[in-house]
Amino acid sequence: AITAGQTADWSEGLPRSVLHVLAVVATAARDDRPTVSAAAIEILQRLLVLQQFRAMGAEGWEGVLTTVLFPLVVDLAAVHVDSDLLQRSFSFCTRTFLQALQSLTTVSDCVPRVWRQMLTCAGSCMHNARSELLREAVTEALKNMILVLAAAGALSEGVWSQTWETVNALEPRLKTELEPALAPIFSPPGTETTAAAAAADAATTDTVTDTPSTVSEQKAT
């Protein structure tokens, strides 16, 4: 059993036995009885806030997210589960991603790999949403995650391009809403300036740097 009193060190990776336990609980969360599914999701939430998980390394978190939580949300969305339950599941998934972010950034390319799957997960929820409340919840969660990723400088230009492509397909207005908040933090491709231009502006006050037109500027013209 996994208990709060355990002292095992999972910083280098998650034991297969523990990952198996999480997978079994996730299987129960797919039960077509709402009470069983909700109870299993609650158990997952309680497990993942235990101290051992909070101190887990990037490899362990990537395993939890990509083999347990993301597939669970995608599967729940595919069977058109109750909107409230799907919203709870996706919210839990995004909180776990943000909880794991600091650890994920310690391994090269780990955040982009996990983030791409998170976008797929969000897309599944949006495409199968049967309520406007669910769509709004997913949109808000995406907004929060993008702001955190930008502040952390966790994604390369190429991944930002993929991010905006996905976001525009899911909720076109989101990018426009985010531009003012992102500009002073970090400038991914497609916002007001590129990251390179922002860095150049910070490095020199004497040189005028030409920056590419943004998507929004192109539309305006």
Side-chain angles (χ1 to χ4, degrees):
I2 305 171
T3 67
Q6 286 183 322
T7 58
D9 181 9
W10 296 347
S11 60
E12 298 300 323
L14 187 65
R16 289 186 179 181
S17 59
V18 177
L19 193 59
H20 177 70
V21 169
L22 296 177
V24 169
V25 179
T27 297
R30 294 171 169 84
D31 196 286
D32 57 7
R33 293 166 292 182
T35 54
V36 174
S37 182
I41 291 171
E42 178 67 23
I43 291 172
L44 283 173
Q45 290 176 321
R46 292 184 179 184
L47 288 175
L48 291 178
V49 297
L50 293 177
Q51 182 60 37
Q52 291 87 341
F53 287 100
R54 299 180 74 88
M56 191 163 54
E59 182 182 349
W61 278 120
E62 184 174 7
V64 168
L65 288 163
T66 63
T67 67
V68 178
L69 298 188
F70 293 163
L72 170 61
V73 174
V74 170
D75 287 350
L76 291 178
V79 298
H80 300 286
V81 73
D82 177 77
S83 292
D84 289 341
L85 185 59
L86 183 55
Q87 182 175 332
R88 284 181 53 196
S89 302
F90 183 73
S91 177
F92 166 46
C93 197
T94 58
R95 290 197 309 272
T96 304
F97 172 74
L98 293 175
Q99 176 184 331
L101 185 59
Q102 185 174 358
S103 294
L104 295 175
T105 57
T106 63
V107 174
S108 176
D109 295 330
C110 190
V111 174
R113 285 197 306 270
V114 175
W115 175 239
R116 290 186 186 99
Q117 293 196 44
M118 171 60 82
L119 290 174
T120 299
C121 183
S124 295
C125 290
M126 292 289 273
H127 292 316
N128 293 283
R130 293 188 294 173
S131 74
E132 189 59 30
L133 286 177
L134 176 57
R135 292 185 61 86
E136 291 177 359
V138 174
T139 300
E140 190 63 28
L142 279 172
K143 182 188 299 185
N144 292 338
M145 288 187 290
I146 287 171
L147 288 172
V148 172
L149 288 168
L155 300 180
S156 66
E157 289 190 8
V159 181
W160 274 116
S161 296
Q162 295 173 22
T163 297
W164 292 129
E165 182 178 348
T166 301
V167 166
N168 287 336
L170 296 177
E171 185 52 77
R173 65 183 172 83
L174 181 56
K175 180 171 174 287
T176 301
E177 292 179 2
L178 281 169
E179 284 181 351
L182 285 173
I185 301 174
F186 179 74
S187 298
T191 57
E192 294 182 355
T193 62
T194 65
D201 288 341
T204 177
T205 58
D206 298 327
T207 301
V208 177
T209 304
D210 293 329
T211 60
S213 298
T214 65
V215 173
S216 58
E217 289 170 343
Q218 291 171 355
K219 290 182 177 178
T221 59

